Amino acid sequence: MSFWKFGKAKRMEKKEYLGSFLKYLPLVAQSSSLAWPPSVEQELQTISEGPTKSMVNSGEVLASHITNMRKSLSLDACDLSPNPLLQGYATFFDKKISREESAKFFGEVVPALCGLLLQLPSMLETHYQNADHVLDGVTSGLRLLAPQEAGVVFLSQELIAALLACSFFCLFPEADRRSKHLQSINFDDLIWFPFMSYCSKRENKIRCLLHYFERVCQCMPTGFVSFERKVLPRGHKHNPHYVSYPDAEYWAKSTTPLCSVEIHTSGAIEDQPGEALEVDFADEYIGGLTLSYDTLQEEIRFVINPELIAGMIFLPRMDVNEAIEIVGVERFSRYTGYGPSFQYAGDYTDEKDFDAFKRRKTRVIAIDALPNPGSTQYKPERLLREINKAFSGYLHQCKHQAGPPPSSAVESSKRWCMDDHEEKIGVATGNWGCGVFGGDPEVKIMLQWLAISQSGRPFMSYYTFGLQALQNVNQVIERIGLQEMKVGELWSKLVEYSAERLSRSTRLGFFSWFMASLSATN
């Protein structure tokens, strides 16, 4: 019989679905509560007492204790080989950082993280007891939010810190995750360095994450973070409260005005000063290669805001009609550079205000673009896929009220409003799906503008990151404004241009083609 059927868990009998998530956690059901296996608890207790008692004062010794805990948890040996783990922790903590940094980490941070992990079972019990009281009866407990299952999970920053500590100690079982399209969540692949392929960007990703652990061990944050799977439903064509997955005709016939646009040639999305959805250029697997070797823009966002990584624990890959919105994450690190030049640049103090749910007013929306589409990105079905993917992210949740506009809601487990001024929140974005993904930046900025406008958002704040292809974007936006074009008209222009690109009757970029087409009709 599962934990959820026992004694004091009677208050949780309506949450039997939570029992299915236990296999993704490194805990066991014991009598009327969750617990660590006794041998793991003893290891954690020993390490929590500090290096003078535990003798855990190096990466090599820590890896040995981690290996023992993994054996006690009966984790599949093929999930994590002891030798790379030993090599990785020993390389980083015993060779790549200074003795002073290492001594501080093993003297202060590692014991505190183990103390936090000892509290994880009771934290989870409290979390589940309170899970249905956050959003007026709407389920918000930790569970698998599978594809096409719209819903929300609310986690305290303290619980997130404990879950990420599990990742650092490589204690999550991995075997069942693959069959559910979940990413690996342990830090072993990130920390393991083949001797000759060690790289600076991976070191700096680790430094960002270690700084996060240092900060939360010094002063634990007390806020909350929400993780929401948003689904743009297929069907519901006769339900006025839903927008079903739009077809090309929907976009072509739209008379919605285009929203205002602000172009920024410098700066970063996460530094935008106002309230806006901040677009995460996501992989279909949220977090992408954050816990691996690479350093793309998404991975930078996840290591300076490490609480985003918690979503990787329970959010499988996104389908074409889905987006993931995360509200409340705190930023802990500064950085410089991008890709190979990425570097941790010290502490960051997040001064964002909190909302009524004790979430920081940082709203991150993850949408995945088509990877390496080449010329196929100009096909009608590919244009439709991209604009609908963006649309699914930009639409907002709201309770049903008398006669709500059908463009104001995407599907979720229930309707709710978590922002009383949602209609004033625009979108901060950039070269989504461009760069290594190979998207056409001139087309992609137009697709995003259309999706943001149609969703009812008041503005698009666009960061070009100095991309040369967008140097004339302000002229094009001004010309479109003078024409007083609506969403449907601009969409039709994109479709026309894309058809000519496919047939090779033009090799011009969209901006040049568009300006020439207007001149030809005047």
Side-chain angles (χ1 to χ4, degrees):
M1 184 178 293
S2 75
F3 158 71
W4 310 108
K5 298 287 189 178
F6 282 94
K8 68 178 182 181
K10 284 185 177 180
R11 288 171 293 179
M12 295 183 270
E13 283 180 351
K14 294 182 180 179
K15 305 181 182 66
E16 291 183 10
Y17 62 89
L18 300 175
S20 65
F21 196 71
L22 193 58
K23 65 182 178 180
Y24 301 107
L25 297 171
L27 303 175
V28 295
Q30 189 178 72
S31 183
S32 61
S33 62
L34 289 173
W36 290 102
S39 56
V40 176
E41 184 174 14
Q42 183 57 54
E43 289 271 9
L44 292 172
Q45 184 64 52
T46 298
I47 301 172
S48 72
E49 294 173 354
T52 56
K53 292 187 177 181
S54 68
M55 304 305 293
V56 178
N57 55 9
S58 71
E60 186 171 359
V61 175
L62 176 61
S64 178
H65 281 267
I66 290 174
T67 301
N68 291 338
M69 288 190 282
R70 288 182 57 83
K71 287 179 180 177
S72 298
L73 288 166
S74 301
L75 300 182
D76 191 342
C78 69
D79 282 350
L80 184 65
S81 173
N83 288 333
L85 178 64
L86 286 164
Q87 184 183 22
Y89 276 76
T91 299
F92 186 82
F93 291 105
D94 304 341
K95 296 179 181 180
K96 292 296 178 182
I97 64 175
S98 69
R99 291 185 179 181
E100 292 76 16
E101 288 177 296
S102 182
K104 181 179 179 181
F105 192 75
F106 286 103
E108 299 175 11
V109 180
V110 169
L113 290 179
C114 288
L116 186 64
L117 284 176
L118 288 168
Q119 300 174 48
L120 177 61
S122 61
M123 275 195 274
L124 280 169
E125 289 177 18
T126 299
H127 164 77
Y128 284 125
Q129 289 166 12
N130 297 332
D132 284 356
H133 304 293
V134 177
L135 285 174
D136 209 13
V138 174
T139 298
S140 64
L142 178 61
R143 65 199 186 279
L144 198 68
L145 283 184
Q148 304 305 313
E149 293 182 14
V152 65
V153 167
F154 260 77
L155 301 177
S156 71
Q157 288 183 276
E158 183 180 31
L159 178 52
I160 289 173
L163 293 170
L164 295 184
C166 286
S167 294
F168 174 74
F169 288 105
C170 301
L171 299 180
F172 279 109
E174 297 276 15
D176 289 327
R177 296 180 62 82
R178 299 171 189 134
S179 64
K180 294 294 184 180
H181 302 289
L182 288 161
Q183 293 241 71
S184 295
I185 193 62
N186 291 321
F187 283 13
D188 56 296
D189 188 45
L190 177 64
I191 294 181
W192 174 54
F193 311 98
F195 181 72
M196 295 303 292
S197 65
Y198 180 81
C199 60
S200 173
K201 62 185 177 182
R202 192 188 295 199
E203 175 185 344
N204 281 279
K205 288 170 71 171
I206 297 171
R207 285 184 179 275
C208 287
L209 294 173
L210 296 186
H211 177 67
Y212 161 76
F213 288 129
E214 290 172 3
R215 280 276 305 274
V216 297
C217 289
Q218 289 169 358
C219 183
M220 182 61 67
T222 58
F224 289 81
V225 180
S226 64
F227 301 79
E228 180 186 354
R229 183 180 287 273
K230 302 171 73 172
V231 180
L232 188 61
R234 301 177 186 276
H236 296 299
K237 289 187 179 294
H238 304 293
N239 189 331
H241 299 315
Y242 294 102
V243 178
S244 56
Y245 193 78
D247 55 19
E249 184 180 13
Y250 170 93
W251 291 104
K253 289 185 174 181
S254 173
T255 58
T256 301
L258 293 167
C259 69
S260 64
V261 180
E262 304 166 359
I263 299 296
H264 306 273
T265 56
S266 62
I269 293 169
E270 64 269 15
D271 294 325
Q272 62 87 23
E275 288 196 50
L277 285 178
E278 299 173 6
V279 177
D280 169 40
F281 307 151
D283 186 270
E284 63 179 341
Y285 290 88
I286 186 171
L289 299 172
T290 298
L291 301 182
S292 185
Y293 56 87
D294 215 340
T295 313
L296 305 178
Q297 192 64 29
E298 179 181 25
E299 285 72 60
I300 290 176
R301 191 65 198 263
F302 272 59
V303 295
I304 65 172
N305 293 88
E307 290 159 337
L308 291 168
I309 296 172
M312 296 168 64
I313 298 171
F314 55 90
L315 288 164
R317 64 174 174 80
M318 290 179 277
D319 283 343
V320 294
N321 60 330
E322 296 182 324
I324 290 169
E325 184 172 348
I326 303 173
V327 182
V329 291
E330 183 172 350
R331 181 174 170 184
F332 292 87
S333 297
R334 299 182 185 276
Y335 74 95
T336 60
Y338 176 79
S341 66
F342 170 74
Q343 286 192 320
Y344 165 69
D347 183 55
Y348 181 90
T349 300
D350 197 326
E351 297 181 349
K352 286 281 183 76
D353 290 335
F354 292 86
D355 66 12
F357 295 93
K358 296 185 69 177
R359 303 174 302 173
R360 288 186 182 273
K361 291 183 178 180
T362 297
R363 303 167 176 86
V364 177
I365 189 74
I367 51 173
D368 55 301
L370 287 167
N372 305 312
S375 62
T376 66
Q377 66 187 293
Y378 303 111
K379 290 185 176 181
E381 64 271 20
R382 291 290 182 106
L383 293 174
L384 191 62
R385 188 271 183 201
E386 296 296 79
I387 196 170
N388 284 343
K389 168 61 72 167
F391 192 45
S392 68
Y394 303 149
L395 281 169
H396 55 79
Q397 302 290 147
C398 193
K399 284 183 180 178
H400 284 157
Q401 299 172 356
S407 62
S408 69
V410 290
E411 188 175 34
S412 187
S413 54
K414 287 189 178 181
R415 300 290 93 197
W416 62 82
C417 274
M418 287 186 279
D419 289 295
D420 57 6
H421 62 300
E422 180 78 18
E423 70 282 354
K424 298 179 182 178
I425 297 171
V427 177
T429 187
N431 307 323
W432 173 61
C434 306
V436 295
F437 268 46
D440 182 333
E442 297 182 34
V443 171
K444 280 288 169 60
I445 188 174
M446 295 293 120
L447 289 172
Q448 290 195 78
W449 191 12
L450 291 169
I452 292 166
S453 301
Q454 189 67 22
S455 71
R457 301 282 177 183
F459 65 86
M460 176 175 74
S461 188
Y462 195 97
Y463 292 79
T464 68
F465 302 98
L467 189 65
Q468 190 72 14
L470 298 180
Q471 62 178 332
N472 297 323
V473 65
N474 276 315
Q475 294 174 256
V476 176
I477 289 170
E478 183 179 357
R479 192 67 182 272
I480 290 171
L482 290 173
Q483 296 291 315
E484 297 184 347
M485 296 183 77
K486 301 295 192 291
V487 165
E489 294 170 302
L490 183 54
W491 164 258
S492 296
K493 281 288 186 183
L494 275 176
V495 171
E496 182 185 352
Y497 166 75
S498 297
E500 291 192 19
R501 280 298 296 264
L502 277 174
S503 66
R504 298 183 180 179
S505 57
T506 185
R507 293 187 177 182
L508 295 174
F510 176 73
F511 292 173
S512 298
W513 177 91
F514 176 78
M515 300 295 270
S517 71
L518 290 183
S519 299
T521 57
N522 291 337

